[in-house]
């Protein structure tokens, strides 16, 4: 069956898999889906290594990259690392260390801040993009607003379609006007940064809102962990599914053992949409971390990019402690996950997840057609 996405980006089956892990990206693309590497967790040097590895392991199949270059963030510290770090108040640092102490997680106060220039800064985004365009990427995506002009221009020069994630129809209209080629309509069920509208409402709403402007294909995202859900989204007019959470619990994913186990144990009500990790609303596994930060003694979230610089070392250290058997750290551990975790019960290979999606998608389509008789 020919899919519109096969023409546009070369994906045999329009299942898009966002992952920070190169092994997942390559495995999904090899299995006929389309892997997208989350590029913002890398430095330009490490991104080069990851993309070279993908080029060598993807058997010529198509893949893409994704960056987070937010339209709105607090750039008060410029690109001077010391100035940025200075803007993180002592009371916030103490609050983090206090939570960790209560959950028996040891972190040297000197290491409480991630002293790396935030990848969300526009200058860093530019350098990451330069690396990406040196590779045979078939898609470049941006999260958190209209992509920088340079992303759209460079992508056009390289003949690479630009995708953008949107959580509201107003944002979709602005993205189409700015020139993006693919919209990812991401509902509130999604892991990571998300808005308030459910996928079921957002997808048809976005399709309707952009129709009078320009025919831009829409991918559905948020809560999709099965082929039946993918078929449902495509029945609403989406050209494919864009997924994230389902890949966290695959054997190839570098997700910590703690988070893989917590995902398998969790239900769909065990997530929270909170600013208390990055400074912008993102959906995460609910843990005492959020209860503390949302509680009466909390100093409140800092804006992006300060908040992730403050929370990342603490939460990484918590996962490490939990992986080494610290039961209190296990309780505190949290990660970005979507509501679809309620349907994930075990860890499987990424290739077998793609295969299962294909089978369940075909069954669901058959079921719809059978009901027309
Ligand atoms: C752990 C995690 C990290 C994410 N980080 C990003 C990111 O850096 N950039 C981005 O565009 N989307 C990011 N997302 C969102 C995904 O691209 C995708 O839209 C979302 O996962 C879809 O919803 P689902 O998680 O219910 O499948 C992330 C999602 C997860 C689960």
């Amino acid at each position: 069956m020919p899919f519109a996405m096969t023409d546009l980006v070369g994906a045999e089956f329009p299942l898009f898999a966002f992952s920070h892990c190169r092994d997942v990206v390559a495995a999904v693309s090899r299995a006929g889906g389309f892997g997208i590497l989350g590029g913002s967790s890398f430095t330009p040097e490490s991104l080069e290594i990851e993309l070279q590895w993908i080029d060598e392991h993807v058997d010529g199949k198509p893949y893409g990259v994704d960056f987070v270059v937010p339209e709105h963030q607090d750039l008060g510290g410029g690109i001077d690392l010391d100035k940025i770090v200075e803007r993180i108040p002592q009371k916030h640092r103490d609050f983090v260390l206090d939570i960790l102490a209560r959950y028996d997680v040891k972190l040297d106060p000197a290491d409480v801040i991630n002293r790396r220039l935030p990848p969300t800064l526009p200058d860093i985004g530019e350098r990451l993009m330069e690396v990406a365009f040196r590779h045979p990427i078939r898609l470049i995506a941006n999260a958190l607003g209209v992509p920088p002009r340079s992303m759209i221009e460079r992508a056009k020069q390289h003949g690479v379609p630009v995708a953008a994630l949107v959580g509201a129809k107003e944002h979709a209209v602005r993205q189409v006007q700015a020139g993006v080629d693919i919209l990812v309509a991401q509902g509130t069920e999604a892991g990571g940064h998300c808005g308030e509208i459910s996928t079921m409402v957002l997808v048809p709403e976005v399709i309707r809102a952009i129709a009078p402007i320009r025919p831009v294909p829409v991918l559905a995202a948020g809560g999709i962990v099965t082929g039946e859900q993918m078929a449902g989204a495509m029945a609403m007019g989406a050209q494919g599914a864009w997924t994230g959470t389902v890949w966290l619990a695959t054997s190839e994913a570098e997700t910590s053992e703690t988070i893989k186990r917590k995902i398998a144990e969790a239900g769909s009500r065990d997530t929270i949409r909170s600013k208390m990790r990055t400074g912008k609303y993102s959906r995460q596994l609910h843990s005492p971390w959020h209860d503390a930060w949302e509680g009466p003694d909390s100093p409140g979230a800092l804006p992006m990019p300060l908040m992730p610089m403050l929370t990342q070392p603490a939460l990484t250290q918590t996962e490490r402690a939990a992986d080494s058997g610290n039961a209190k750290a296990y309780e505190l551990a949290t990660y970005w996950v979507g509501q679809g975790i309620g349907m994930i019960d075990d860890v499987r290979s990424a290739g077998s997840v793609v295969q299962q999606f294909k089978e369940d998608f075909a069954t669901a389509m058959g079921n719809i057609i059978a009901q027309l008789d």
Side-chain angles (χ1 to χ4, degrees), residues 222-246:
I224 300 176
V225 297
T226 72
E228 291 97 334
Q229 290 172 291
M230 178 174 171
M234 291 177 72
M236 292 194 293
Q239 307 279 355
W242 176 286
T243 53
T245 296
V246 71

Side-chain angles (χ1 to χ4, degrees), residues 18 20 38 40 66-68 142-143 165 184 186 189-193 221-224 242-246 248 335-340:
F18 172 93
H20 291 123
S40 285
D66 172 285
F67 296 115
V68 184
N142 188 57
L165 277 74
V184 179
Q186 191 203 244
E189 299 93 319
H193 293 107
I224 300 176
W242 176 286
T243 53
T245 296
V246 71
L248 296 175
Y335 199 62
W336 292 286
V337 300
Q339 292 176 337

Side-chain angles (χ1 to χ4, degrees), residues 61 64 74 109 113 147 328 341 369:
K61 301 282 183 168
D74 186 336
I113 309 276
K328 286 174 91 176
I341 50 169
I369 291 164

Side-chain angles (χ1 to χ4, degrees), residues 253-295:
E254 59 194 10
T255 322
S256 67
E257 286 312 310
T258 293
I259 296 300
K260 283 187 185 174
R261 227 175 90 201
K262 286 189 94 163
I263 288 176
E265 287 166 357
S268 50
R269 298 164 87 171
D270 294 330
T271 73
I272 184 169
R273 184 174 168 268
S274 163
K275 284 189 178 177
M276 303 306 173
R277 183 159 186 149
T278 70
K280 290 183 187 284
Y281 281 110
S282 66
R283 190 167 297 283
Q284 305 147 53
L285 197 54
H286 188 175
S287 92
W289 173 268
H290 306 100
D291 300 335
W293 276 96
E294 307 276 358

Side-chain angles (χ1 to χ4, degrees), residues 17 31-32 55 74 76 115 119 138 149 159 186 195 210 212 215 217 236 241 277 282 294 313 316 347 354 359 365:
D55 292 341
D74 186 336
R115 296 190 67 89
R138 295 291 303 271
R149 198 68 242 152
Q186 191 203 244
I210 61 168
M236 292 194 293
R277 183 159 186 149
S282 66
E294 307 276 358
T316 305
V347 172
V354 176
E359 287 169 22
M365 295 303 288

Side-chain angles (χ1 to χ4, degrees), residues 76-371:
I79 54 162
D80 181 330
L81 184 59
D82 290 334
K83 285 217 174 84
I84 300 173
V85 170
E86 258 171 36
R87 301 180 64 224
I88 301 178
Q90 190 59 43
K91 67 175 178 201
H92 284 76
R93 305 174 193 216
D94 293 343
F95 191 74
V96 165
L97 291 168
D98 181 57
I99 300 177
L100 294 185
R102 279 190 277 129
Y103 284 84
D104 293 345
V105 178
K106 291 184 181 43
L107 181 65
D108 188 329
D111 297 330
V112 73
I113 309 276
N114 181 6
R115 296 190 67 89
R116 188 188 129 195
L117 269 177
T120 55
L121 294 181
D123 296 44
I124 307 289
E126 289 294 326
R127 291 182 54 207
L128 290 169
M129 240 189 291
E130 252 169 55
V131 174
F133 282 117
R134 289 205 294 265
H135 293 264
I137 54 169
R138 295 291 303 271
L139 174 95
I140 187 162
N142 188 57
L144 300 181
V146 172
R149 198 68 242 152
S150 61
M151 184 185 284
I152 296 180
E153 280 164 9
R154 279 196 214 191
K156 281 211 170 22
Q157 283 163 17
H158 287 83
V160 174
V162 180
L165 277 74
V166 298
K169 69 174 182 185
E170 298 77 13
H171 301 165
V173 168
R174 288 185 51 233
Q175 295 278 9
V176 170
Q177 287 165 343
V180 305
D181 305 295
I182 298 172
L183 283 176
V184 179
Q186 191 203 244
T188 189
E189 299 93 319
H193 293 107
C194 62
E196 295 165 285
I197 324 281
S198 72
T199 307
M200 190 78 180
V201 170
L202 184 70
V203 169
E205 213 181 12
V206 163
I207 291 172
R208 234 185 241 196
I210 61 168
I213 315 172
R214 194 157 56 86
V216 172
V218 173
L219 301 175
I224 300 176
V225 297
T226 72
E228 291 97 334
Q229 290 172 291
M230 178 174 171
M234 291 177 72
M236 292 194 293
Q239 307 279 355
W242 176 286
T243 53
T245 296
V246 71
W247 312 105
L248 296 175
T250 54
S251 41
E252 292 90 340
E254 59 194 10
T255 322
S256 67
E257 286 312 310
T258 293
I259 296 300
K260 283 187 185 174
R261 227 175 90 201
K262 286 189 94 163
I263 288 176
E265 287 166 357
S268 50
R269 298 164 87 171
D270 294 330
T271 73
I272 184 169
R273 184 174 168 268
S274 163
K275 284 189 178 177
M276 303 306 173
R277 183 159 186 149
T278 70
K280 290 183 187 284
Y281 281 110
S282 66
R283 190 167 297 283
Q284 305 147 53
L285 197 54
H286 188 175
S287 92
W289 173 268
H290 306 100
D291 300 335
W293 276 96
E294 307 276 358
D297 302 329
S298 166
L302 295 170
M304 187 180 266
L306 305 182
M307 192 68 175
M309 293 174 77
L310 174 67
T311 60
Q312 191 262 324
L315 291 172
T316 305
Q317 190 66 6
T318 300
E319 281 184 46
R320 275 196 206 121
D323 278 352
S324 324
N326 174 339
K328 286 174 91 176
Y330 185 83
E331 205 191 326
L332 184 64
T334 171
Y335 199 62
W336 292 286
V337 300
Q339 292 176 337
I341 50 169
M343 285 187 281
I344 302 173
D345 304 322
D346 54 5
V347 172
R348 288 181 291 152
S349 76
S352 71
V353 172
V354 176
Q355 187 54 34
Q356 191 70 50
F357 258 85
K358 287 181 181 171
E359 287 169 22
D360 294 344
F361 177 83
T363 306
M365 295 303 288
N367 287 343
I368 293 178
I369 291 164
Q371 290 183 44

